[in-house]
Amino acid sequence: MMLNYDAPLYRPPSEARSLIFQVTLGCSFNECSFCDMYRSKEYSERSWEEIKGEIDMMANYLPDTKRVFLADGDALNLDTEFMIKIVKYIREKFQNIERISCYAMPMNILKKTDDELKRMNEAGLDMFYLGIESGSDIVLKKVTKGAIGKTIIKSVNKAKAAGYVMSCMVILGLGGRTYSKEHIRGTAEVISACSPNYVGALTLYLENGIKQEFLDKFKEPFIRINDDESLEELHDLIEQINTKEEIVFRANHGSNAYTIKGTFPHDKQAMLEKIDWMKQHPEIMRPQGLRGF
């Protein structure tokens, strides 16, 4: 028995074994020039009857489900009371649920009141995946992210204060060679100012369908960084992140040339030392894989 998903369907790597319910289709913003995940869809919200029917079906088929991810890219755009209804019903039908999560855009977190966020969390919505991408306002504007560094910091801190676990993504190479230093400096400042529970570093990868839009919106020649420069960005990002709170850091996505992982603050020096070692041993670089442009 399978759910009849509206393709394409995306979820974070750490939700690989999660049961996925599509409570929204597409993305209400859908303008980030580096992302083509939902370009083939018009944003819409699914009805309670559709969602309830799928929950009922899967509760019979997979009653021991422990993790649920609410798709598509914009579940948090739902009305608060509707989200609470969905989350409570999932918890009611699946007795062993350990975590319910979804993607979240900064603007959607900021649109919710503190009370709304807290009530959704108390109902059983546990974790948000949020794309920081960059902390540089220049880069964020050039990739039409729809957020600036201050609003990203505010949104992550607001969600954490309401009880959510925050997993955030950043994109190495997003500013190209021209804005590399600015991109990394700003990104480290944002991470340091909000200390997400998890940070994952990806490397810029543009699908063919979106490449020209990205280059057009950038409004100047975009010079892609090479693998050595990507490793340098990774080094500088780790070096410039300053936090007393624990941040689990991963740069092990298939788009990355190199794999680094550790937990701030106590693994910071070890990660930097590993990168220094990698610079001397470029042969350990990953094969090309996802890393096309």
Side-chain angles (χ1 to χ4, degrees):
M1 187 172 300
M2 289 291 291
L3 289 168
N4 187 24
Y5 289 123
D6 184 294
L9 181 71
Y10 294 95
R11 49 89 186 148
S14 55
E15 300 292 339
R17 297 188 176 183
S18 301
L19 177 56
I20 302 175
F21 292 114
Q22 281 180 306
V23 297
T24 62
L25 302 180
C27 171
S28 65
F29 183 64
N30 217 17
E31 291 180 25
C32 299
S33 67
F34 53 87
C35 174
D36 77 335
M37 284 165 56
Y38 304 111
R39 292 305 176 94
S40 61
K41 298 185 182 187
E42 285 288 324
Y43 173 76
S44 63
E45 299 175 358
R46 300 187 71 211
S47 70
W48 171 244
E49 289 71 27
E50 289 176 298
I51 296 167
K52 179 181 182 298
E54 292 187 350
I55 294 170
D56 288 339
M57 178 178 73
M58 298 313 291
N60 288 326
Y61 186 58
L62 295 172
D64 297 327
T65 293
K66 293 184 177 180
R67 291 186 177 184
V68 167
F69 180 74
L70 302 177
D72 270 338
D74 213 358
L76 195 60
N77 200 50
L78 289 175
D79 174 77
T80 297
E81 301 308 322
F82 191 35
M83 177 65 92
I84 288 172
K85 186 177 183 179
I86 293 167
V87 170
K88 279 186 172 178
Y89 195 66
I90 291 170
R91 294 267 175 187
E92 181 185 317
K93 299 296 285 188
F94 297 91
Q95 298 301 308
N96 298 319
I97 287 287
E98 295 173 355
R99 184 173 86 192
I100 302 176
S101 60
C102 67
Y103 286 127
M105 291 190 292
M107 67 181 81
N108 286 344
I109 292 174
L110 296 176
K111 279 194 290 189
K112 302 287 188 189
T113 65
D114 292 337
D115 181 64
E116 285 177 310
L117 287 171
K118 196 159 186 60
R119 286 194 296 117
M120 288 190 297
N121 182 253
E122 288 170 351
L125 182 59
D126 304 296
M127 182 174 183
F128 292 146
Y129 292 89
L130 181 143
I132 292 173
E133 331 306 0
S134 176
S136 159
D137 289 353
I138 294 172
V139 175
L140 288 167
K141 185 176 181 181
K142 283 184 167 293
V143 301
T144 54
K145 169 68 179 172
I148 58 173
K150 281 184 180 178
T151 59
I152 294 171
I153 293 166
K154 188 176 178 183
S155 67
V156 174
N157 282 330
K158 184 175 182 176
K160 283 175 64 185
Y164 293 90
V165 173
M166 295 300 296
S167 181
C168 296
M169 288 70 73
V170 301
I171 304 177
L172 301 173
L174 190 61
R177 189 173 292 164
T178 307
Y179 297 100
S180 180
K181 297 294 184 188
E182 161 82 21
H183 167 51
I184 294 303
R185 183 171 60 249
T187 304
E189 286 172 0
V190 166
I191 293 169
S192 301
C194 60
S195 295
N197 305 85
Y198 299 91
V199 172
L202 289 65
T203 300
L204 181 65
Y205 173 76
L206 296 174
E207 300 282 358
N208 284 330
I210 206 153
K211 191 185 298 183
Q212 196 54 49
E213 179 188 335
F214 178 89
L215 296 173
D216 290 345
K217 285 184 172 178
F218 207 78
K219 290 190 164 60
E220 63 180 279
F222 181 84
I223 307 162
R224 185 191 180 199
I225 63 170
N226 61 32
D227 291 334
D228 290 341
E229 291 164 323
S230 176
L231 189 58
E232 200 61 45
E233 282 201 354
L234 190 56
H235 176 278
D236 292 350
L237 178 64
I238 291 169
E239 186 175 56
Q240 292 175 41
I241 291 173
N242 289 302
T243 178
K244 292 178 181 175
E245 295 182 51
E246 194 170 277
I247 301 175
V248 176
F249 183 85
R250 296 286 183 269
N252 56 0
H253 187 260
S255 62
N256 296 337
Y258 300 93
T259 298
I260 285 286
K261 58 184 179 179
T263 302
F264 285 96
H266 50 267
D267 292 337
K268 178 174 176 173
Q269 192 55 42
M271 287 191 284
L272 292 173
E273 287 171 6
K274 184 175 181 184
I275 291 174
D276 287 337
W277 180 85
M278 284 176 165
K279 289 177 182 177
Q280 307 302 318
H281 299 82
E283 70 277 2
I284 52 85
M285 184 184 76
R286 287 190 181 195
Q288 289 297 315
L290 276 176
R291 290 166 41 248
F293 183 68

